[in-house]
Amino acid sequence: MSDAEQRRAGSINGPKGLYIETYGCQMNLYDSERMADVLRPLGYAQAATPEEADLVILNTCHIREKATEKVYSEIGRLRLIKEARRAEGRDLSIAVAGCVAQAEGEEIARRAPAVDLVVGPQSLHKLPELIARAARAKGVALTAEFTAEEKFDALPERRADGVSAFLSVQEGCDKFCTFCVVPYTRGAEYSRPAEAVLAEARALAAQGVREITLIGQNVNAYHGGMDLAELIGEVAKIETVARIRYTTSHPLEMSDALIAAHGEEPKLMPQLHLPVQSGSTRILKAMNRKHTADDYLRIIEKLRAARPDIAMSTDIIVGFPGERDAEFEETMALVREVGFASAFSFKYSRRPGTPAASMQGQVGEDAKAERLARLQGVLNAQQRMFNEAQIGRVLPVLVAGRGRRPGQAHGRSPYLQAVHFDCGVGDPGRLTGEIVSVRIEAASQNSLAARAPNEAAA
Ligand code: 5AD
Ligand code: SF4
């Protein structure tokens, strides 16, 4: 970029406010952090609200219709701030990033003139160039190329924020489940080379990160010169990294080596998110999941043999085309058999361009709502039971920082449960980054309450 372009993009004018709103999955959370990293050298620093920002980025999700609709209503809200700003002789730039940008970039440009730039998830390293282009020309600067490889090579050094960090190792998906837009918005599967991943892991550790979650749309399909089990082993060699997790996985890629790692690698936490989507083999086939309900149950058996206390979580879709009461009951039976520690469940949402959108046997809204309510009743009860089962146990908690109340700290259990505990005298912030053994005293739907470590030890 020339000096003049840099000036327009903000680097020479001093600090500018950046506000990023993130929707959707961990990949987007990671990308949002990376966009902040890309923009930092240009003088952008985090603003507390959109009102205080010079640039607002909406990092969007396309997975279900509802998520997509949110984008347009949010753009409408930002347009009002932008207009008020302009009346004062200043400007607010609005950027749309993420999967809606990828899928509907041109439509956004047409429908929402308040938007200054549109950037797909694989092109976020091009933000400085786009900002300069948008400032130069009136109208929207748009890019949505599939350049995952280039993206990672072009990104600056990672800046850590907190004791836990996501680390993207794999992007995109070649599985083409018939309901899913991801293969179209995130492109073909790409694994980052292991050396690049490990360099980023070491940089995070050097900045105080104790827990690394390896992320990818199909993270267990990782093949960047080694497989995921080996990569976990390499990350585990970084001394100050105490905890490792990975998400999201596909049942087909749950190799024996990866399952074994759950029993052998003490830093690998006893928790796994493994989407099943349906408990009906017929529906799984229509979804193009390429495994049966029974295959899934066998994987769980093996995982539990390797690590008996492993906390399982999953994703489930109800009302996929062709799902009758009988198939839904098969999902309920699978859920009862597995006993999930937590789960995400959704009504099937028809996504334009995906094979399932034009399948026969679309399920009515009422049936979907009723099934979802029944399913969530069982899943919520299972989550509560799992949390309550921890009462009386002493669990090692990785402390993330001060809790909401004075004297309180909060963190996560090995099973990824949120835990808060009173720490007695002194600033609870002193424990940040430490792994503290606490006695669990109470459990609710979404968190655990524990007793101060010194009292727990007594
Ligand atoms: N409708 C409903 N849920 C969906 N998911 C993906 N696509 C759809 C869709 N069209 C869910 C799946 C996936 C999770 C991230 O979102 O359960 O695992
Ligand atoms: Fe979508 Fe299926 Fe790929 Fe997951 S595995 S991202 S659900 S296509």
Side-chain angles (χ1 to χ4, degrees):
M1 232 191 296
S2 73
D3 261 17
E5 276 176 331
Q6 278 196 32
R7 195 170 299 114
R8 280 188 218 105
S11 57
I12 301 179
N13 283 348
K16 294 204 161 203
L18 169 67
Y19 188 84
I20 307 183
E21 270 176 47
T22 310
Y23 301 89
C25 66
Q26 295 89 347
M27 305 301 293
N28 269 12
L29 286 170
Y30 178 83
D31 283 351
S32 288
E33 279 191 37
R34 300 308 264 143
M35 287 193 272
D37 289 340
V38 167
L39 293 173
R40 196 170 295 113
L42 270 65
Y44 283 93
Q46 203 178 327
T49 63
E51 283 77 7
E52 291 164 39
D54 298 282
L55 170 63
V56 175
I57 302 177
L58 301 179
N59 195 6
T60 61
C61 172
H62 196 55
I63 200 105
R64 283 169 293 275
E65 197 177 350
K66 249 198 199 145
T68 308
E69 279 166 3
K70 259 193 220 149
V71 179
Y72 288 99
S73 61
E74 195 52 22
I75 293 173
R77 202 175 71 87
L78 292 172
R79 183 173 58 96
L80 299 179
I81 304 178
K82 186 177 180 117
E83 282 167 5
R85 247 340 144 68
R86 283 208 167 139
E88 297 165 11
R90 289 167 61 215
D91 200 8
L92 168 70
S93 298
I94 302 174
V96 179
C99 291
V100 181
Q102 186 68 45
E104 298 181 6
E106 312 232 333
E107 194 183 335
I108 293 168
R110 224 180 23 250
R111 265 178 69 180
V115 171
D116 300 277
L117 48 120
V118 175
V119 57
Q122 311 285 357
S123 311
L124 55 90
H125 56 290
K126 295 189 178 150
L127 264 172
E129 186 189 317
L130 281 174
I131 291 172
R133 241 165 65 195
R136 237 185 350 250
K138 285 285 147 237
V140 184
L142 189 145
T143 184
E145 293 154 25
F146 285 115
T147 49
E149 195 170 344
E150 189 188 310
K151 161 181 163 182
F152 286 113
D153 284 348
L155 287 171
E157 167 111 348
R158 176 82 187 275
R159 175 85 65 96
D161 179 20
V163 299
S164 299
F166 289 130
L167 172 42
S168 174
V169 306
Q170 183 270 342
E171 282 237 7
C173 181
D174 294 336
K175 294 276 189 291
F176 289 95
C177 300
T178 53
F179 50 80
C180 186
V181 289
V182 166
Y184 313 98
T185 57
R186 291 268 174 172
E189 217 164 290
Y190 165 75
S191 290
R192 292 176 73 186
E195 311 83 74
V197 171
L198 293 169
E200 191 169 327
R202 282 190 283 269
L204 288 167
Q207 295 173 71
V209 167
R210 307 294 318 278
E211 174 178 72
I212 291 183
T213 303
L214 305 172
I215 61 168
Q217 252 93 29
N218 249 292
V219 72
N220 56 346
Y222 178 79
H223 54 90
M226 55 178 79
D227 64 20
L228 186 66
E230 290 169 290
L231 185 68
I232 290 167
E234 289 303 311
V235 175
K237 288 182 189 159
I238 305 171
E239 208 174 315
T240 56
V241 172
R243 292 183 166 191
I244 302 169
R245 306 179 192 271
Y246 60 94
T247 198
T248 284
S249 295
H250 193 293
L252 272 190
E253 312 278 356
M254 250 5 263
S255 68
D256 286 344
L258 188 55
I259 292 172
H262 280 278
E264 290 161 6
E265 177 48 65
K267 291 186 179 182
L268 183 58
M269 289 294 99
Q271 169 264 325
L272 179 64
H273 185 68
L274 192 63
V276 65
Q277 313 296 1
S278 170
S280 154
T281 293
R282 196 177 71 80
I283 296 295
L284 287 169
K285 190 157 198 294
M287 287 175 162
N288 193 32
R289 294 289 289 178
K290 300 196 176 82
H291 65 82
T292 65
D294 205 51
D295 292 336
Y296 185 85
L297 293 171
R298 297 292 82 79
I299 294 168
I300 303 278
E301 247 171 38
K302 285 201 225 169
L303 280 161
R304 286 184 169 152
R307 183 75 209 225
D309 63 337
I310 193 163
M312 293 302 309
S313 70
T314 198
D315 291 340
I316 295 174
I317 298 175
V318 300
F320 184 82
E323 185 188 80
R324 298 161 301 193
D325 285 341
E327 284 80 18
F328 173 67
E329 293 305 334
E330 291 181 271
T331 296
M332 293 290 276
L334 179 136
V335 166
R336 288 202 184 91
E337 183 159 351
V338 174
F340 289 102
S342 72
F344 297 101
S345 49
F346 315 98
K347 288 189 266 186
Y348 168 68
S349 168
R350 218 166 163 172
R351 307 306 289 130
T354 58
S358 51
M359 280 181 187
Q360 300 286 312
Q362 297 288 329
V363 177
E365 194 49 37
D366 288 353
K368 281 187 203 169
E370 196 188 310
R371 287 175 195 171
L372 187 67
R374 272 191 60 204
L375 175 64
Q376 290 186 339
V378 174
L379 290 170
N380 288 342
Q382 290 188 344
Q383 180 168 341
R384 212 184 170 89
M385 252 168 53
F386 183 79
N387 287 349
E388 282 169 358
Q390 313 304 326
I391 296 174
R393 289 186 71 190
V394 174
L395 292 181
V397 168
L398 171 59
V399 179
R402 294 185 188 91
R404 254 183 254 139
R405 277 192 262 127
Q408 209 178 52
H410 78 99
R412 296 262 171 195
S413 78
Y415 311 110
L416 204 58
Q417 296 150 299
V419 183
H420 51 89
F421 61 95
D422 292 315
C423 328
V425 283
D427 177 5
R430 73 186 186 280
L431 296 174
T432 301
E434 308 234 339
I435 293 174
V436 177
S437 287
V438 299
R439 186 176 298 279
I440 307 301
E441 301 222 301
S444 68
Q445 186 68 41
N446 295 312
S447 66
L448 303 176
R451 185 185 280 253
N454 44 0
E455 289 172 56

